[in-house]
Amino acid sequence: MNKNTFLLLFVTAASLLSCSDKDDGPYADYLVARPITMGSAEFKANTVAVTEPVPVQYSGKIYAYDNYIFVNDRGLGFHVMDNSNPGDPKKIAFIKIDGNEDISIKDDRLFADSYGDLVVFDISDIKNIRVINRLENVTGKGNGIIYSDNIVWPQADFYDQEGVDSTKEVIIGWEVRTEKRLVSEYESRWNGPVLDSGFSNSSESTTTTAPNTGQGGSLARFKIVGDYLYAIDYSHINIFDISDLNKPKSLNDVSVGFDIETIFNQGRHLFIGGSQGMYIYDISSPSKPTFVSEFRHGTACDPVVVDGNYAFVTLRGGGFCGTETGLYIIDISNISRPRLLKIYPMTGPYGLGIRDEKLFICDGDAGLKVYDKTNVEDLVKLNHFENIITYDVIPLQNSLLMIGDKVLYQYEYLDRNIRLLSTFDLK
């Protein structure tokens, strides 16, 4: 080997060592997903439509208004059913609302969210449902990157969303390539976007619903009280003045906390359920809810309903939801100092509802449980409908609605029990 060749090899080796030090470690091949985007205006132009009935893909919550039932298809919209005959309900339409989580209805005006927009429908003619208004970027989903709810999530080691303009673009898909990345970067990566668990909840009061306002279950994120619509997102109460139903006005929102899931109203108070606790707000001044108190619990998914001096909270652990599971009964006779009264064990509860002395709990795969709550410290089980999957209930005046896995159940009240009235396969 001559002198010049030796020097060249020495310089090359030194250069490689220098680069290795500079790059802070070894590299490896990884799958990197980069977004395929569409302009927000073009995307939103196709997010809302009214079609003929279609099968349910991802059954979620339910909503009742007059003789109609609205069944949520998570992220896709609502199926409309004629329930004039509870023994034989019929599908009549599908309201396609991409990015939708909830609805609320007053005087034939249906309010729905769509990716951070508020969409207003006229449903006075149920066979000719029309969009009459749309307020853009007025809820929490409008403040971050929007993903199409029909998006197919690829297997990838990295999701590189750098450069996406959340004010102008929507992610509708992904392109995956193999690239070299630092092993240290892989080991400390954020592995993909955080998605909703599917039951980011919603709940309308079963005790104070006005005759011209619809009724949701305990998994509701929308609540109409008088001339105001309260719509919760991940961390805020979004407030709308709907005194003019055709032209709602977006007001200043109120920060609550993180992982907010459900909303319920009793009198002048809103009860907000979250994965870390229940938060109580005073709406004596309806445009400016003010914090009153909170009840903290272990991390869990958390719908809440209220009856008189007691709040009933079902906590569900596992997966995204944390560790706590059970029915928590909270004494709110002193609204400023809620206190835990009793815990009842449950398997994996979702929604719940109250009608007079009866308490209905959807205990997930464990079925529907019915209790006499006359003495909240000693609940008496009246019935247990097993071998069905249960998500949420709405106790109506004359019957109980329950949504399961693509099945709608209706029950009639008996003196100390309930009886199955009908089932409807939503597939």
Side-chain angles (χ1 to χ4, degrees):
M1 179 183 297
N2 62 39
K3 183 178 181 180
N4 290 337
T5 303
F6 177 81
L7 286 173
L8 178 61
L9 290 173
F10 177 82
V11 170
T12 301
S15 175
L16 289 173
L17 287 171
S18 175
C19 288
S20 177
D21 291 342
K22 182 178 180 180
D23 291 340
D24 299 323
Y27 285 82
D29 288 334
Y30 295 107
L31 293 176
V32 180
R34 286 191 171 83
I36 301 169
T37 64
M38 177 186 290
S40 297
E42 179 185 359
F43 180 80
K44 288 182 177 181
N46 300 307
T47 57
V48 176
V50 180
T51 72
E52 294 296 314
V54 297
V56 168
Q57 295 188 43
Y58 311 104
S59 57
K61 56 197 81 167
I62 45 179
Y63 191 92
Y65 179 76
D66 287 345
N67 289 321
Y68 301 102
I69 299 172
F70 296 80
V71 179
N72 177 235
D73 214 328
R74 298 196 302 275
L76 302 176
F78 273 80
H79 303 264
V80 185
M81 303 180 65
D82 184 340
N83 199 42
S84 301
N85 178 4
D88 186 25
K90 299 182 184 302
K91 279 188 185 179
I92 56 177
F94 176 61
I95 306 177
K96 174 182 178 288
I97 316 171
D98 288 350
N100 172 253
E101 290 191 55
D102 215 342
I103 64 171
S104 204
I105 303 173
K106 180 179 179 181
D107 289 341
D108 293 335
R109 295 298 182 266
L110 184 152
F111 301 90
D113 64 313
S114 176
Y115 291 114
D117 295 356
L118 183 71
V119 186
V120 186
F121 295 83
D122 180 347
I123 61 168
S124 55
D125 181 355
I126 204 70
K127 295 182 179 180
N128 184 31
I129 299 171
R130 301 180 298 113
V131 176
I132 58 175
N133 204 342
R134 182 167 190 150
L135 281 65
E136 295 192 350
N137 299 319
V138 290
T139 70
K141 270 196 171 183
N143 298 328
I145 295 175
I146 295 176
Y147 308 90
S148 166
D149 279 283
N150 297 319
I151 194 172
V152 177
W153 298 92
Q155 291 294 324
D157 301 305
F158 294 90
Y159 292 81
D160 188 349
Q161 302 169 66
E162 185 177 354
V164 176
D165 186 343
S166 62
T167 65
K168 298 179 181 179
E169 297 175 285
V170 174
I171 295 177
I172 61 172
W174 299 91
E175 181 182 36
V176 181
R177 294 181 180 178
T178 300
E179 298 180 8
K180 289 190 179 298
R181 291 285 183 101
L182 285 166
V183 173
S184 59
E185 185 181 358
Y186 172 77
E187 291 174 346
S188 63
R189 78 200 189 288
W190 167 49
N191 191 18
V194 177
L195 304 178
D196 290 338
S197 64
F199 288 94
S200 49
N201 298 325
S202 116
S203 151
E204 289 220 30
S205 168
T206 59
T207 58
T208 60
T209 302
N212 59 350
T213 303
Q215 185 172 319
S218 68
L219 301 182
R221 301 183 73 89
F222 276 30
K223 175 61 192 165
I224 290 176
V225 183
D227 287 333
Y228 291 84
L229 167 66
Y230 302 96
I232 59 170
D233 58 44
Y234 178 77
S235 58
H236 293 79
I237 305 172
N238 301 280
I239 306 160
F240 300 91
D241 180 339
I242 58 170
S243 52
D244 184 339
L245 292 170
N246 296 333
K247 297 179 180 179
K249 298 176 182 177
S250 178
L251 307 178
N252 292 333
D253 57 27
V254 173
S255 177
V256 177
F258 296 101
D259 294 330
I260 302 306
E261 299 170 333
T262 69
I263 184 169
F264 192 93
N265 164 245
Q266 178 173 267
R268 62 185 179 89
H269 292 107
L270 296 178
F271 296 82
I272 311 295
S275 67
Q276 298 180 36
M278 177 187 72
Y279 309 90
I280 303 173
Y281 280 76
D282 190 311
I283 52 172
S284 298
S285 177
S287 63
K288 298 178 180 179
T290 56
F291 176 77
V292 176
S293 61
E294 66 182 37
F295 171 79
R296 290 277 181 168
H297 55 63
T299 305
C301 292
D302 170 13
V304 54
V305 298
V306 179
D307 184 45
N309 289 327
Y310 302 102
F312 299 80
V313 180
T314 50
L315 303 185
R316 186 179 76 260
F320 288 93
C321 292
T323 58
E324 300 295 317
T325 295
L327 169 68
Y328 283 45
I329 299 181
I330 302 164
D331 184 342
I332 56 169
S333 54
N334 182 346
I335 200 71
S336 299
R337 293 185 178 181
R339 66 180 182 90
L340 179 63
L341 193 64
K342 183 131 185 188
I343 302 175
Y344 291 90
M346 294 287 158
T347 301
Y350 284 86
L352 68 165
I354 291 170
R355 178 70 187 173
D356 299 327
E357 79 288 351
K358 295 184 179 68
L359 170 66
F360 308 96
I361 297 178
C362 294
D363 201 6
D365 295 348
L368 175 65
K369 297 177 179 178
V370 186
Y371 295 89
D372 184 328
K373 65 171 185 61
T374 302
N375 180 359
V376 294
E377 296 190 64
D378 186 20
L379 296 182
V380 177
K381 184 182 288 188
L382 300 177
N383 209 332
H384 185 185
F385 294 84
E386 301 182 79
N387 302 317
I388 55 175
I389 297 174
T390 60
Y391 292 151
D392 202 13
V393 291
I394 299 179
L396 300 175
Q397 182 72 29
N398 299 312
S399 63
L400 179 78
L401 301 180
M402 187 186 74
I403 188 74
D405 185 15
K406 299 183 181 180
V407 180
L408 176 70
Y409 301 84
Q410 298 194 63
Y411 299 84
E412 66 174 341
Y413 302 121
L414 304 176
D415 286 342
R416 285 190 48 85
N417 213 326
I418 61 171
R419 182 178 70 86
L420 182 65
L421 189 61
S422 67
T423 62
F424 187 90
D425 191 334
L426 297 166
K427 298 176 184 176

